Amino acid sequence: MDKQTITIYDVAREAGVSMATVSRVVNGNPNVKPTTRKKVLDVIDRLDYRPNAVARGLASKKTTTVGVIIPDVTNLYFSSLARGIDDIATMYKYNIILANSDENEQKEVQVLNTLLAKQVDGVIFMGNKITEELRAEFSRSRTPVVLAGTVDPDEQVGSVNIDYEAATKDSVEMLLANGHQKIAFVSESHEDPINGQYRLSGYKQALKAASIAYDEELVIQSEYTYKVGDAVFEQLTKAGATAAVVADDELAVGVLNAALDRGLSVPEDFELITSNNSKLTEMTRPQMSTVVQPLYDIGAVAMRLLTKLMNKEETDEKTVKLPYHIEGKGTTK
């Protein structure tokens, strides 16, 4: 018998039971006699029967599959979130389709439509910003969507984050308390509201409270990669910065190593606070002071919120902010 064409009907016929009984065995229903269950499982093993998830989805209108859109699967920030998503998905018996969007707005829409075509029950989106095109796709599909580590300033879409504005303000205040006047803020594009609205606002608030004038030269937009660390540090030196708040750990490692390569002592000559507390912060010497975000929890809570939306359960809050703190390690005094 061709493995591809084995159906529930074949298993029922071989085991001498009804298709409903086979279905109950496959779905773990306890209302089956142990002897019957064993007989059916033996036939399933012998025929190597695989229940068709798509067919089951058509019958129940559910595929028990969730699409996860991730901008960069190699970035430890996103992979830590994905781990939390996956663990909770497994707990609630959802399968995950992980799709990489390469931080490209056109590809985000394309990937979303591919996932929706696969009839996913829900989507978790991690990206830089919700474009109008993306928002239109979310609305049109009626498939529940939750943002993880991504904000919707309009608060139309459920999201799980920390308070980025307060975390950046706290980071700058820590550096101000250490005597710095020229503190830089380094992040990716300000088109991303996390950077352009929340983090930048926190940076400005801290300077204003300390009566320090805002200097555009100390605000640097850069991609989040190790390799640009050297070029970013050149800009910091040119602007006269003696300390920096960096919005990504991999970029922060590049900046730290560029400072050390130039013979500077960290934290004596230059101080740095990064933002994600990924394991990179422990791998550098000195270890990097950081905002401690509960990365795993952001992913886990986002997935739990999505299960509630998919099952039309009551939700207290669709915009969730989890706690954070600043941990001084070796790159601050």
Side-chain angles (χ1 to χ4, degrees):
M1 206 179 284
D2 180 0
K3 199 183 287 187
Q4 294 300 315
T5 59
I6 290 165
T7 65
I8 192 169
Y9 172 76
D10 299 316
V11 176
R13 193 188 61 222
E14 290 279 317
V17 297
S18 69
M19 285 192 281
T21 300
V22 177
S23 178
R24 281 195 285 271
V25 171
V26 166
N27 291 312
N29 188 315
N31 300 327
V32 183
K33 283 188 205 153
T35 50
T36 308
R37 183 186 306 281
K38 185 177 184 318
K39 188 163 59 171
V40 171
L41 289 173
D42 286 348
V43 171
I44 285 171
D45 281 349
R46 183 156 52 80
L47 299 182
D48 197 16
Y49 169 63
R50 295 268 185 280
N52 185 331
V54 175
R56 277 158 65 183
L58 290 172
S60 67
K61 298 284 192 290
K62 285 188 173 183
T63 57
T64 60
T65 302
V66 167
V68 177
I69 301 175
I70 191 165
D72 180 3
V73 79
T74 65
N75 188 306
L76 287 171
Y77 173 78
F78 294 114
S79 54
S80 301
L81 263 59
R83 188 66 204 271
I85 292 166
D86 189 50
D87 282 359
I88 300 301
T90 302
M91 190 187 295
Y92 284 90
K93 297 187 166 50
Y94 283 93
N95 299 309
I96 277 183
I97 301 175
L98 194 64
N100 210 34
S101 65
D102 297 330
E103 303 193 55
N104 177 313
E105 287 176 8
Q106 275 68 47
K107 195 172 174 191
E108 283 172 352
V109 173
Q110 186 189 327
V111 161
L112 175 66
N113 283 321
T114 302
L115 291 171
L116 294 175
K118 291 184 191 301
Q119 306 288 312
V120 293
D121 296 333
V123 172
I124 291 184
F125 178 82
M126 301 179 236
N128 294 327
K129 65 169 185 167
I130 307 301
T131 60
E132 286 315 307
E133 198 180 352
L134 206 55
R135 193 185 292 282
E137 294 296 328
F138 288 163
S139 304
R140 194 177 304 134
S141 78
R142 295 205 177 93
T143 302
V145 177
V146 171
L147 311 176
T150 302
V151 295
D152 175 14
D154 298 344
E155 297 196 355
Q156 291 177 10
V157 185
S159 63
V160 184
N161 294 278
I162 64 162
D163 186 335
Y164 301 107
E165 187 173 56
T168 308
K169 185 168 180 276
D170 288 351
S171 301
V172 176
E173 283 173 350
M174 187 172 164
L175 294 170
L176 286 165
N178 288 354
H180 295 278
Q181 298 278 305
K182 293 258 188 180
I183 300 167
F185 168 60
V186 185
S187 75
E188 216 167 33
S189 167
H190 289 179
E191 283 190 9
D192 170 2
I194 288 178
N195 296 321
Q197 287 180 39
Y198 302 113
R199 282 180 170 141
L200 187 60
S201 170
Y203 172 74
K204 286 177 174 175
Q205 284 173 39
L207 294 181
K208 191 176 177 185
S211 303
I212 293 173
Y214 174 72
D215 179 354
E216 270 186 8
E217 278 200 14
L218 289 166
V219 177
I220 296 167
Q221 296 178 60
S222 156
E223 65 180 58
Y224 286 163
T225 61
Y226 174 79
K227 68 175 189 281
V228 297
D230 213 64
V232 167
F233 194 76
E234 280 292 323
Q235 285 178 267
L236 293 173
T237 305
K238 198 173 153 198
T242 59
V245 173
V246 183
D248 176 74
D249 292 354
E250 187 180 321
L251 173 57
V253 178
V255 171
L256 170 64
N257 285 355
L260 298 172
D261 288 347
R262 284 164 176 74
L264 296 182
S265 289
V266 178
E268 291 75 20
D269 303 326
F270 185 80
E271 290 191 58
L272 178 147
I273 298 177
T274 187
S275 298
N276 298 334
N277 194 39
S278 69
K279 57 187 174 187
L280 286 175
T281 61
E282 296 172 1
M283 292 177 176
T284 57
R285 289 297 175 270
Q287 293 188 352
M288 291 192 291
S289 300
T290 181
V291 174
V292 179
Q293 293 195 47
L295 299 183
Y296 177 92
D297 294 355
I298 290 171
V301 172
M303 183 63 216
R304 180 64 186 109
L305 176 58
L306 187 63
T307 63
K308 287 183 177 179
L309 296 175
M310 290 186 296
N311 295 313
K312 297 184 169 55
E313 291 174 38
E314 276 296 307
T315 49
D316 309 332
E317 194 73 61
K318 267 175 62 172
T319 302
V320 181
K321 282 185 184 170
L322 296 180
Y324 71 89
H325 65 277
I326 313 283
E327 190 173 325
K329 296 184 188 174
T331 56
T332 50
K333 289 173 192 161

